[in-house]
């Protein structure tokens, strides 16, 4: 309720949180490094957390940092965050666990050029189109990719400024689901189940009465057909014949 007190609750996978009839599901979680980008004069051009999307169970995460204004050129950075990094023999990093360690590492490949943000067309915040961009730090550039631990600052190539790995935050991806028809779905499901049970346990029979002229008299024949095994079919046909004969007798002799 607006203005009400805050309450603590656990939100887990397959354990939704019910808020006023609306269920909140946990879909994912990850890390959001907080970075601060400054120009050559020390003025802040960008600052804030950036969600990095996990790529494996150890939360090796991929993220994109875009700085369209405040620097001499537009800058885009494609990076990986490693909660618990370990360097492979080929120089590539992996994360050996999903837990934050003292050596948590942020690596960034830096590009300059038109990021496509000034054309009025929506752009995916979690991807970077490198076509038409110039790599100024990374495997295809003269400068190596940037490597930052929390609290460290690195120089951007070509005197563009600096970037600082300021802090680290967590984020979660959630989904909200509200269905006011759940009660009716339950009611109709129970009705369908009840109908199924009736069809399974109540015998389904067809009965016939055949009248055949026999001179001045009428000969009546009774028959029945069951769907499947029905040990009580013969008794049911006999009961109908008996009741029918009694009714005819009452009508002929009121």
């Amino acid at each position: 309720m607006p203005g009400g007190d805050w309450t603590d609750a656990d939100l887990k996978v397959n354990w939704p949180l019910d808020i006023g009839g609306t269920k909140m599901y946990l879909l994912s979680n990850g890390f959001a490094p907080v970075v601060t980008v400054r120009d050559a004069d020390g003025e802040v051009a960008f600052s804030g957390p950036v969600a990095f999307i996990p790529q494996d169970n150890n939360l090796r995460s991929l993220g994109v940092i875009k700085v369209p204004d405040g620097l001499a050129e537009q800058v885009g950075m494609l990076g990986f965050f490693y909660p618990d990094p370990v360097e492979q023999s080929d120089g590539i990093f992996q994360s050996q666990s999903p837990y934050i360690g003292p050596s948590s590492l942020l690596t960034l490949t830096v590009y300059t050029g038109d990021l496509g943000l000034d054309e009025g067309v929506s752009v995916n915040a979690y991807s970077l189109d490198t076509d038409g961009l110039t790599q100024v730090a990374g495997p295809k550039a003269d400068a190596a990719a940037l490597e930052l631990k929390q609290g460290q600052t690195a120089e951007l190539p070509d005197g563009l400024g600096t970037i600082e790995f300021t802090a680290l935050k967590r984020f979660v991806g959630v989904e909200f689901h509200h269905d006011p028809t759940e009660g009716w779905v339950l009611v109709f499901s129970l009705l369908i189940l009840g109908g199924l049970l009736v069809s399974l346990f109540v015998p389904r029979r067809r009965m016939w009465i055949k009248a055949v002229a026999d001179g001045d008299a009428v000969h009546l024949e009774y028959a029945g057909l069951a769907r499947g095994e029905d040990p009580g079919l013969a008794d049911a046909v006999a009961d109908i014949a008996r009741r029918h004969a009694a009714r005819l007798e009452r009508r002929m002799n009121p």
Side-chain angles (χ1 to χ4, degrees):
M1 295 292 292
D5 296 331
W6 289 90
T7 58
D8 294 332
D10 292 329
L11 181 61
K12 304 177 182 179
V13 175
N14 298 325
W15 194 314
L17 182 63
D18 197 322
I19 307 174
T22 298
K23 293 183 178 180
M24 182 170 66
Y25 293 86
L26 176 63
L27 299 182
S28 62
N29 73 95
F31 295 100
V34 180
V35 297
T36 301
V37 179
R38 294 181 171 87
D39 64 13
D41 297 326
E43 298 293 329
V44 175
F46 174 88
S47 181
V50 180
F52 275 54
I53 309 303
Q55 304 297 302
D56 56 33
N57 292 333
N58 288 330
L59 297 187
R60 178 180 65 92
S61 306
L62 173 66
V64 171
I65 302 170
K66 298 179 182 180
V67 188
D69 302 301
L71 301 179
E73 295 184 74
Q74 292 190 355
V75 173
M77 293 176 247
L78 185 63
F80 281 93
F81 176 72
Y82 306 91
D84 192 10
V86 57
E87 188 173 3
Q88 308 294 313
S89 57
D90 55 2
I92 302 298
F93 287 95
Q94 293 292 337
S95 182
Q96 58 187 349
S97 79
Y99 305 106
I100 292 295
S103 59
S104 296
L105 184 65
L106 176 65
T107 63
L108 297 168
T109 302
V110 184
Y111 297 85
T112 60
D114 184 5
L115 301 180
L117 301 178
D118 300 328
E119 301 174 359
V121 179
S122 60
V123 178
N124 190 340
Y126 299 102
S127 66
L128 180 66
D129 185 0
T130 58
D131 292 341
L133 300 181
T134 301
Q135 187 178 125
V136 295
K140 298 181 181 180
D142 294 334
L146 306 183
E147 296 182 4
L148 292 167
K149 295 181 180 180
Q150 188 171 333
Q152 291 183 340
T153 301
E155 297 284 340
L156 294 174
D158 302 332
L160 291 171
T162 62
I163 180 170
E164 179 185 0
F165 183 4
T166 310
L168 185 63
K169 294 186 176 182
R170 298 296 303 264
F171 76 89
V172 295
V174 297
E175 178 183 80
F176 293 91
H177 179 74
H178 177 70
D179 187 357
T181 65
E182 285 184 344
W184 290 107
V185 170
L186 176 61
V187 170
F188 287 117
S189 297
L190 292 176
L191 291 175
I192 293 173
L193 179 60
L196 179 61
L197 292 176
V198 169
S199 68
L200 290 176
F201 296 105
V202 175
R204 300 177 61 182
R205 299 164 176 162
R206 291 182 180 181
M207 300 295 183
W208 288 271
I209 301 176
K210 182 179 180 181
V212 180
D214 186 9
D216 294 335
V218 176
H219 180 69
L220 297 177
E221 296 179 357
Y222 299 88
L225 176 65
R227 185 172 184 177
E229 295 293 332
D230 187 354
L233 180 61
D235 292 337
V237 172
D239 182 62
I240 286 181
R242 184 170 56 255
R243 287 189 292 158
H244 188 229
R247 186 169 181 178
L248 291 176
E249 181 68 25
R250 288 195 301 270
R251 295 192 58 162
M252 295 175 62
N253 301 295

